[in-house]
Amino acid sequence: MSKLLNLSNLVSGDIAIDLGTANTLIWIKGKGICVNEPSVVAVSVIDDKVIAVGNEANAMVGKTHNDIKTVRPLKDGVIADFKMTDGMIQGFVRKINISRIARPRMVICIPSGVTDVERRAVRESAERANASEVYLVEEPMAAAIGIGIDISLPKGNMIVDIGGGTTEIAVISLNGIVVIQAIRIAGDEQDEAIISWFKNEHKLEIGQRTSEKIKCNVGSAIRSKGTTIAVKGRDLVSGIPKTIEVSSDEIRQALADTIHQIQTAVKKALENTPPELASDIIEYGIILTGGGAKLKGLDQHIRNKTGLPVHVSEEPLLSVVKGTGMILEDIKKYQDILI
């Protein structure tokens, strides 16, 4: 999904950005989501010039020659490459056809674990992209707002945001995060687990995009009806490309360790939750959001392990950018949670 709106006549507008490990989404004030593309940059090895960002760069992954490399500037929920993050933010801002003379306000969503140095780097990148004012907001807060939770109430809400690089578990009350538990186990780690499974069990080498496709199509957190999928890769013994059939239950086994770690982190966050807020969670349940929440049976698995109600948000991939957009639409209302 490149552009959801016709932006050819756009002159100016304040911007909200969900800067994610896997995807970057942009919201324009009064218009909604306009960009939802992979957080990937294609760059020239010769002069370090950014060639493409988003969908165009993602199409090049695994297919470049020696003069071009593809980079994911955010890894495990943190900025791994400041220069490429800068180029990516500016590249996405150019995509939305903002007038060069416009000086929009920007609200940028960041993982809760980023350092002061990383926050400063994001702020400076936005300023170089011509922002007049830059506000930062932590991901769990934006996700809660996007789901429709009134975070100002004295009521405990547990949000489990499973992104590309990190899973963040937060208990939110009175405009603040009371408990935060973050682990670097999420969508990317699950893709790597599937790659390792095929390498070890079938002596078959597959790419990251193939692994992600397998996870989305037949991945599950619980035992389900046996379906099979054809997987193409390179035979590690002969070196020749081949196709094999595997069952969905094999993929469940490949994902089992990452799912266990997410479930353990949820339990740890629950153990650290004050009793009054814990009673609210018993009543209202745990809400899963982020792309990883779409894994089949994950809600049921966590429900079985915790004994608590578990719900998947309506549009888990869009919760964070929706929340960031809602903050942008009414910055005064959310002033207390902005960084």
Side-chain angles (χ1 to χ4, degrees), residues 224-298:
S224 56
K225 256 187 180 178
T227 56
T228 59
I229 185 171
V231 178
K232 298 172 184 176
R234 185 172 65 85
D235 190 309
L236 288 170
V237 178
S238 68
I240 297 170
K242 75 170 183 179
T243 303
I244 63 169
E245 290 272 335
V246 296
S247 69
S248 57
D249 198 56
E250 272 202 63
I251 308 307
R252 178 189 63 80
Q253 291 174 62
L255 295 172
D257 184 56
T258 59
I259 290 164
H260 175 74
Q261 290 187 65
I262 291 169
Q263 157 220 314
T264 302
V266 170
K267 282 185 171 179
K268 194 168 182 183
L270 287 166
E271 288 168 10
N272 295 331
T273 302
E276 293 297 335
L277 295 179
S279 65
D280 289 339
I281 295 167
I282 292 169
E283 186 176 348
Y284 302 112
I286 298 167
I287 302 170
L288 306 184
T289 190
K294 297 177 78 176
L295 183 71
K296 295 179 191 75
L298 183 60

Side-chain angles (χ1 to χ4, degrees), residues 147-173:
I147 291 163
I149 292 169
D150 186 345
I151 60 169
S152 67
L153 298 177
K155 187 176 84 173
N157 290 285
M158 178 173 271
I159 309 295
V160 180
D161 182 12
I162 308 165
T166 57
T167 295
E168 294 184 90
I169 302 118
V171 178
I172 293 167
S173 177

Side-chain angles (χ1 to χ4, degrees), residues 3 10 37 58 69 73 79 93 106 123 127 154-155 201 257 274 277:
K3 293 191 178 181
L10 184 65
E37 299 190 18
N58 195 50
K69 65 178 178 179
I79 297 170
V93 169
M106 289 190 195
R123 201 183 292 276
E127 286 166 355
K155 187 176 84 173
E201 299 296 322
D257 184 56
L277 295 179

